[in-house]
Amino acid sequence: MAAPAGRLTGTESCCGAGAFRLYVLFGPLVWKVVQEWREQGCLPLGSWWLHLLLLFAVRGLTYQFWFTYGNMLFFTRRRRVVADGVDFRQIDAEWDWDNFLVLQTLIGATVVSSPLLPGLRQLCLWDPRGWAVALLLHVGFSEPFFYLAHRALHRAPLFAGYHAAHHSSGVTQPLTAGFGTPLESLLLTLAMGVPLAGAILMGTGSIGLVYAHAFVFDYLRAMGYSNVEVVSPRVFDAFPPLRYILYTPSYLSLHHREKRGNFCLFMPALDAAFGTLDGRSWALQRAAYDGAEGGGALGTPEFVFLAHVVDMMSSMHVPFVLRSLSSIPFANHFILLPFWPVAFGFMLLMWCCSKTFVVSFYYLRGHLHQTWSVPRYGFQYFLPAAKKGINQQIELAILRADRMGVKVLSLAALNKNEALNGGGTLFVNKHPDLRVRVVHGNTLTAAVILNEVPSNVKEVFLTGATSKLGRAIALYLCRKKIRVLMFTMSAERFLKIQREAPPEFQHYLVQVTKYQAAQSCKTWIVGKWLSPREQRWAPAGTHFHQFVVPPIIGFRRDCTYGKLAAMRLPKDVRGLSSCEYTMERGVVHACHAGGVVHSLEGWDHHEVGAIDVDRIDVVWKAALKHGLAPV
């Protein structure tokens, strides 16, 4: 059974450990290749054991290619068939989507080691006659066989036992093509294998045919499940018979959602002949391709979270790279290391010629929320020469959102850095007529941190005390008659903040310049990186609350460490399919949540610059009212 949405299964926590255990079944094939390599003294290019492993890799990459393309929203958002997003329940259900590839590879190994196809080991590299034979067998056997088998699977009692799980996926994706029962995989194997077997038995088979047939078969299946239209309706208008030769993602999507028609494998001619062709297929295909009403193009978002790339490794934690990684909290997995040079190349490319792009989306109460990313990495924000270019990217994103009709745009992490743009004030002052509300979300970030502090605490130690968040936290706590030890070397900045507090509470703010001053305080609020040596001054039993990025490393086993401020999205969120950096499923950074609250409340003010301490409780209560919850 699939894990409930929002929870991590053991498989996920091990980053697909179940799949790796299944790949152990390829051990005998690898051993055969190694044996032949040792015997021949070179890589056995004619070995069918090697070909089977290569075919598995090529076929898996074909589905991955279509998955990546289909989820590159900056390319495909206007040509989607279904506008809904994939949720975690579907991802969990389809986790082992490549089981059918493993099964077919093992069936292939059985055929290779048996006398069923005696001519298999003598195949030439290329024989054009085999293509004709395979095409005739596909049209004459595979298409009718799949059509009849598929229709049978839609009848009771077969549907409930063998096909309902496949249709439980709400939105088709290329990986959905592999999600099914063993019976479905065997039927598909027969439909795919007969043309190849026939060509080989007739003496016209070739190694090239095996690779090409498998590639085209998987390519067309992955395209059909991609949920993105790629063939222009003008092509079908110019050559109408093509409508009955080649299906489309819209064609398959109608079948997948409604289960009433469009049963073909690739060729709709059989549906037309047997009266099961859904007449809406071509109109939907045209609407989806043109991004017109009736298609699934993503419309104007109500809310945009403007993020940026953190580092090279986390750049691969995006929904269009590996779903098995983006659907769990980010961690530095060893399987990502070989792809580091590729990620580095993309970093250079984005630095040179990219602009802000759409990364992901979800729906909340019928409204579209999107995450956009500035094509810059964390380290670039600390390069003086890059400051102007980054602000230009952020400004262009804000103006684009304004033209589109976005209501709220929330700045993430370094995009609202005080030294960069004054927490967003640069853009609001430069463009006073903005309709989109620009929000830094730090008011809710402060609220989350403050509501984590136990009510019986009388004293806290605060680092990063003169930062935007540190100032707000200090001023709020002193009003609660909590003594705040503000760690700062600048008496000028400390006094400026102290004067902002009401006179009767100013004495609760105390400047300290050494960590030793907090050696009896068990509540540390950390807004500045702490080394192991600095953490040593905290007494046993201390809890470290954090708003420092990146979070401090927990060196003290006798202390506890909080995570970055975050909130869980409301339960009625739909189509959320990826984790936000290191956050758990369904959890977003507090600044993201702050923008969501701003949008849900319909507030008409910008939230930039210094945090309004008087609004901390207002924003917190509004977040809870709308169903957001502390983690």
Side-chain angles (χ1 to χ4, degrees):
M1 292 180 64
R7 297 184 181 179
L8 297 180
T9 64
T11 300
E12 292 166 304
S13 63
C14 295
C15 192
F20 286 120
R21 287 194 292 270
L22 194 59
Y23 295 157
V24 172
L25 295 173
F26 290 158
L29 277 70
V30 175
W31 178 244
K32 286 280 189 181
V33 173
V34 172
Q35 276 189 320
E36 293 180 354
W37 193 343
R38 293 174 60 186
E39 291 171 1
Q40 299 177 20
C42 61
L43 188 65
L45 298 179
S47 168
W48 272 107
W49 311 113
L50 178 60
H51 287 313
L52 287 171
L53 294 173
L54 291 176
L55 278 167
F56 176 82
V58 169
R59 298 180 68 194
L61 288 173
T62 301
Y63 287 96
Q64 178 60 44
F65 163 80
W66 272 104
F67 171 82
T68 294
Y69 172 73
N71 286 278
M72 285 180 165
L73 298 175
F74 44 93
F75 286 146
T76 64
R77 67 185 183 279
R78 301 189 189 280
R79 290 183 176 170
R80 291 172 61 87
V81 180
V82 177
D84 297 338
V86 173
D87 57 22
F88 289 120
R89 182 207 58 79
Q90 179 174 336
I91 291 174
D92 289 342
E94 296 175 358
W95 195 266
D96 296 315
W97 67 272
D98 57 349
N99 280 355
F100 84 104
L101 291 178
V102 176
L103 175 64
Q104 291 178 353
T105 302
L106 296 178
I107 291 174
T110 303
V111 172
V112 167
S113 59
S114 71
L116 294 175
L117 294 176
L120 189 62
R121 295 185 179 276
Q122 288 79 41
L123 290 186
C124 61
L125 185 63
W126 190 262
D127 188 340
R129 298 173 302 167
W131 289 75
V133 173
L135 180 60
L136 288 172
L137 286 173
H138 177 83
V139 174
F141 173 81
S142 297
E143 288 286 345
F145 168 76
F146 183 89
Y147 176 83
L148 295 173
H150 197 178
R151 287 197 68 176
L153 285 174
H154 275 263
R155 293 172 181 165
L158 291 178
F159 182 79
Y162 298 100
H163 199 48
H166 178 74
H167 279 276
S168 67
S169 296
V171 181
T172 60
Q173 290 203 320
L175 309 189
T176 309
F179 172 50
T181 60
L183 176 62
E184 292 169 298
S185 298
L186 290 172
L187 293 173
L188 195 66
T189 302
L190 191 60
M192 179 182 177
V194 165
L196 286 176
I200 292 171
L201 289 172
M202 294 179 68
T204 59
S206 65
I207 295 173
L209 174 64
V210 173
Y211 276 90
H213 181 75
F215 174 74
V216 172
F217 195 95
D218 290 319
Y219 188 90
L220 290 177
R221 289 200 80 226
M223 180 200 73
Y225 279 88
S226 67
N227 193 39
V228 175
E229 279 300 344
V230 292
V231 181
S232 170
R234 265 63 76 184
V235 174
F236 292 106
D237 292 341
F239 187 60
L242 186 62
R243 289 193 176 100
Y244 303 99
I245 298 173
L246 179 66
Y247 77 157
T248 66
S250 299
Y251 192 94
L252 186 138
S253 183
L254 274 175
H255 164 79
H256 196 83
R257 283 181 290 155
E258 302 189 7
K259 313 176 188 68
R260 292 200 303 262
N262 295 3
F263 294 101
C264 75
L265 179 55
F266 304 132
M267 301 174 65
L270 285 170
D271 280 307
F274 289 96
T276 55
L277 193 152
D278 193 317
R280 299 168 296 170
S281 300
W282 313 122
L284 176 61
Q285 194 268 342
R286 182 178 297 275
Y289 186 87
D290 292 338
E293 185 177 352
L298 296 180
T300 299
E302 181 105 348
F303 164 74
V304 166
F305 182 57
L306 187 61
H308 64 81
V309 190
V310 177
D311 55 32
M312 219 70 67
M313 296 297 282
S314 66
S315 69
M316 292 177 271
H317 187 257
V318 287
F320 54 83
V321 177
L322 289 174
R323 191 171 75 173
S324 57
L325 294 182
S326 64
S327 61
I328 60 176
F330 172 73
N332 285 307
H333 296 294
F334 70 92
I335 62 171
L336 294 177
L337 291 176
F339 301 102
W340 193 93
V342 178
F344 182 77
F346 273 101
M347 184 271 292
L348 295 177
L349 183 65
M350 287 199 297
W351 199 349
C352 293
C353 56
S354 183
K355 61 182 180 180
T356 299
F357 57 94
V358 183
V359 176
S360 61
F361 71 96
Y362 60 87
Y363 289 91
L364 183 60
R365 289 162 201 171
H367 297 296
L368 176 63
H369 291 197
Q370 289 182 345
T371 294
W372 298 357
S373 179
V374 173
R376 294 296 182 267
Y377 290 63
F379 76 91
Q380 293 169 321
Y381 284 75
F382 300 98
L383 301 177
K387 178 179 177 179
K388 181 179 178 181
I390 291 173
N391 275 331
Q392 286 177 342
Q393 290 277 356
I394 299 171
E395 182 180 6
L396 289 173
I398 292 172
L399 294 176
R400 174 187 170 197
D402 193 57
R403 289 193 304 270
M404 291 174 63
V406 176
K407 292 186 177 180
V408 176
L409 183 143
S410 181
L411 300 173
L414 296 173
N415 286 335
K416 58 191 173 193
N417 186 283
E418 285 292 320
L420 183 69
N421 52 47
T425 55
L426 172 69
F427 313 114
V428 172
N429 293 337
K430 186 176 180 181
H431 303 281
D433 297 325
L434 285 174
R435 291 170 299 170
V436 62
R437 302 296 92 177
V438 180
V439 174
H440 56 47
N442 282 341
T443 308
L444 186 57
T445 302
V448 171
I449 296 168
L450 289 165
N451 279 276
E452 288 177 353
V453 177
S455 58
N456 60 348
V457 167
K458 299 300 180 184
E459 182 181 69
V460 303
F461 176 62
L462 177 64
T463 70
T466 59
S467 65
K468 182 194 303 182
L469 274 167
R471 165 195 164 274
I473 290 170
L475 291 174
Y476 184 94
L477 289 175
C478 78
R479 295 181 183 185
K480 301 293 182 181
K481 298 183 179 180
I482 297 175
R483 188 166 182 257
V484 183
L485 305 178
M486 298 177 63
F487 180 82
T488 176
M489 299 297 178
S490 173
E492 179 184 356
R493 288 200 297 266
F494 167 75
L495 289 173
K496 183 180 178 181
I497 294 173
Q498 188 182 47
R499 292 190 191 105
E500 288 188 67
E504 65 271 26
F505 299 121
Q506 289 183 1
H507 67 280
Y508 286 101
L509 300 179
V510 180
Q511 181 186 8
V512 297
T513 57
K514 295 183 179 180
Y515 290 98
Q516 293 92 314
Q519 56 188 333
S520 61
C521 179
K522 292 189 175 183
T523 301
W524 285 37
I525 302 178
V526 182
K528 180 182 177 182
W529 177 260
L530 293 180
S531 67
R533 183 178 180 180
E534 291 162 343
Q535 292 182 38
R536 185 185 63 185
W537 293 105
T542 295
H543 182 76
F544 293 90
H545 304 270
Q546 302 192 57
F547 62 94
V548 59
V549 179
I552 62 173
I553 300 173
F555 292 104
R556 294 280 301 274
R557 294 190 176 183
D558 57 347
C559 298
T560 55
Y561 294 82
K563 296 182 178 180
L564 291 178
M567 294 202 80
R568 190 174 299 280
L569 290 172
K571 294 180 180 179
D572 55 340
V573 66
R574 296 289 179 265
L576 185 64
S577 61
S578 59
C579 292
E580 189 169 282
Y581 195 37
T582 58
M583 300 290 113
E584 297 176 8
R585 288 179 169 185
V587 175
V588 295
H589 292 90
C591 56
H592 182 152
V596 172
V597 173
H598 207 97
S599 174
L600 291 173
E601 281 289 312
W603 286 329
D604 199 35
H605 64 278
H606 295 292
E607 184 191 323
V608 294
I611 297 172
D612 184 349
V613 180
D614 293 329
R615 290 193 58 81
I616 290 177
D617 287 335
V618 174
V619 173
W620 176 252
K621 291 175 182 177
L624 298 181
K625 179 183 74 175
H626 287 290
L628 285 90
V631 179

